[in-house]
Amino acid sequence: MDIEKLKDFFKNDLFAADSGIKIVEAGEGYCKTELEITPRHLNAAGVVQGGALFTLADLAFAVASNSRGQLALGVNTNMTFLKSRSKGKVYATATEAAKPGRLGAYDVRITDEQDDTIAVFSGMVYRKDVELNF
Amino acid sequence: MDIEKLKDFFKNDLFAADSGIKIVEAGEGYCKTELEITPRHLNAAGVVQGGALFTLADLAFAVASNSRGQLALGVNTNMTFLKSRSKGKVYATATEAAKPGRLGAYDVRITDEQDDTIAVFSGMVYRKDVELNF
Amino acid sequence: MDIEKLKDFFKNDLFAADSGIKIVEAGEGYCKTELEITPRHLNAAGVVQGGALFTLADLAFAVASNSRGQLALGVNTNMTFLKSRSKGKVYATATEAAKPGRLGAYDVRITDEQDDTIAVFSGMVYRKDVELNF
Amino acid sequence: MDIEKLKDFFKNDLFAADSGIKIVEAGEGYCKTELEITPRHLNAAGVVQGGALFTLADLAFAVASNSRGQLALGVNTNMTFLKSRSKGKVYATATEAAKPGRLGAYDVRITDEQDDTIAVFSGMVYRKDVELNF
């Protein structure tokens, strides 16, 4: 697995890219993404929309879970929203919650610039018998 | 509660609007939203990004849970992805899973144009002592 | 699928049986279970323990998801606790949230004797290529 | 907060105690519980029932979330089942996923005697304005 090629592949995530979400770094079983909150990321209450934070976390989850060389499909996600933010940068950091297997579990922590956790996300993947040739 | 005013308020959800998501209809404890999938909604695998479907479901959840006249904050969401889609319209329909109280639970079904369920979403709200003057 | 045989098979769920949980009725994609709360089901705060309600819901989920004749493994569950109870009967009713496929989603409603929803449960299964010969 | 008194209080969790679940250790924002799997913990397929693992995790979650001196109510739980076990000891270790606040998030890892993660659990609490006098 060439992590740079994996990152390049995920640059084709048009929805994440269009939402202003970038991959900061990635490694085996790991990925960190970032988003700078701008007015278009806000909801009707003037705070960052849950879907923007979800997309931020989901991209980190997708990269981390596909970094082991086998196609991983995200099948379930759970997200708890603890604090709201309306500006500044936010980050999502995905790590493995268990050794990778047919089923995989990932923790994603969403933090602000002060490293306060503003949301947590748990993602589950099902791995298919498809090798990723990166 | 004037449902038209509630819908107008949620037109200020800039992230949902910017993502092409619209409210189709709403009522007490109920909301249906829609999204027409275009290339910018796709992920790196060429299917609709989980974050786009999440945002679709989240808007329906927010409208339905705030339709009772009291401010409802979404604090937890769970989403299961069953099938992928790369074109056509998709819909999210939110209904109450329990009588509204301090805590509220909502079911959201995400369907395609053939009314096949492609994802399911459960949302939980915490209600604050704030009246919504719609 | 002979539903009576399916119910008989699930009588071998020793943990559920030992916890006083019974199958009330079952059908294709459906199951209702019941539990009469007694002191041994209570937690340190004197209300029914979350694990007792989870087990009640999980049995309904297992029966409903295996009623289609193919082995279904529960891989993810989400549960929201809305109200507490310390006595009386409680019920869990599992239904299909989507047409059965390789992945399946089930809704389980946990109610009291007044049919108030006290908790909601979402379960996801992965189906294996194993036929159930009931 | 006297952690020994907190542990004593949770010995009154009759459902957990009756299920053979014990607190191994606890501290601020932390708790580890254990269960020795015996035949009565098995489901109809002969592996440990999800409800037994849930109860194991839920007790660790309850102790960890109440260790800060303020009453914490578990309102949402998410659990992913990765591997099945039919004998031996299993453990649940709860830690804080975010600094404690009105809303709290906890990660619980369920492991076997080889320290393999067999399930993961995310729990969310809502804190009430009630001090715990331990």
Side-chain angles (χ1 to χ4, degrees), chain B residues 75-76 78 103 124 126, chain D residues 75-76 78 103 124 126:
Chain B
V75 288
N76 182 271
N78 186 254
L103 297 177
M124 180 190 175
Y126 174 73
Chain D
V75 289
N76 182 271
N78 186 255
L103 297 176
M124 180 189 175
Y126 174 72

Side-chain angles (χ1 to χ4, degrees), chain D residues 7-132:
Chain D
K7 286 164 65 178
D8 283 347
F9 175 74
F10 277 101
K11 285 181 186 161
N12 297 316
D13 186 320
L14 299 183
F15 186 71
D18 192 63
S19 299
I21 295 165
K22 293 172 191 155
I23 299 172
V24 177
E25 53 185 7
E28 293 208 348
Y30 167 78
C31 181
K32 182 174 180 178
T33 55
E34 73 167 34
L35 168 69
E36 176 146 16
I37 302 172
T38 65
R40 72 169 174 123
H41 298 108
L42 305 184
N43 67 11
V47 298
V48 65
Q49 223 264 7
L53 294 180
F54 180 94
T55 307
L56 179 74
D58 197 51
L59 180 62
F61 166 47
V63 175
S65 61
N66 279 287
S67 68
R68 295 298 190 174
Q70 193 180 346
L71 181 63
L73 303 179
V75 289
N76 182 271
T77 60
N78 186 255
M79 194 161 183
T80 296
F81 297 90
L82 298 165
K83 294 175 184 177
S84 56
R85 289 290 176 268
S86 54
K87 60 180 183 178
K89 286 190 179 176
V90 283
Y91 305 91
T93 306
T95 53
E96 285 171 344
K99 275 190 289 186
R102 174 66 70 183
L103 297 176
Y106 289 79
D107 285 331
V108 188
R109 207 69 84 236
I110 296 90
T111 50
D112 64 11
E113 293 184 68
Q114 284 71 47
D115 204 34
D116 259 11
T117 298
I118 60 167
V120 294
F121 172 110
S122 301
M124 180 189 175
V125 295
Y126 174 72
R127 287 196 168 84
K128 307 214 36 153
D129 292 326
V130 174
E131 294 300 308
L132 297 174

Side-chain angles (χ1 to χ4, degrees), chain B residues 65-134:
Chain B
S65 61
N66 280 287
S67 68
R68 297 297 190 173
Q70 193 181 344
L71 181 63
L73 303 179
V75 288
N76 182 271
T77 60
N78 186 254
M79 193 161 185
T80 296
F81 297 90
L82 299 165
K83 294 176 183 175
S84 57
R85 290 288 175 270
S86 55
K87 60 181 182 176
K89 286 189 180 179
V90 284
Y91 304 91
T93 306
T95 54
E96 286 172 345
K99 274 190 289 187
R102 173 67 69 185
L103 297 177
Y106 289 78
D107 286 330
V108 188
R109 206 70 82 235
I110 298 89
T111 50
D112 64 11
E113 294 184 69
Q114 284 70 46
D115 204 31
D116 259 11
T117 299
I118 60 168
V120 294
F121 172 111
S122 301
M124 180 190 175
V125 293
Y126 174 73
R127 287 195 168 85
K128 307 216 34 154
D129 292 326
V130 174
E131 294 299 308
L132 296 174
N133 297 310
F134 294 131

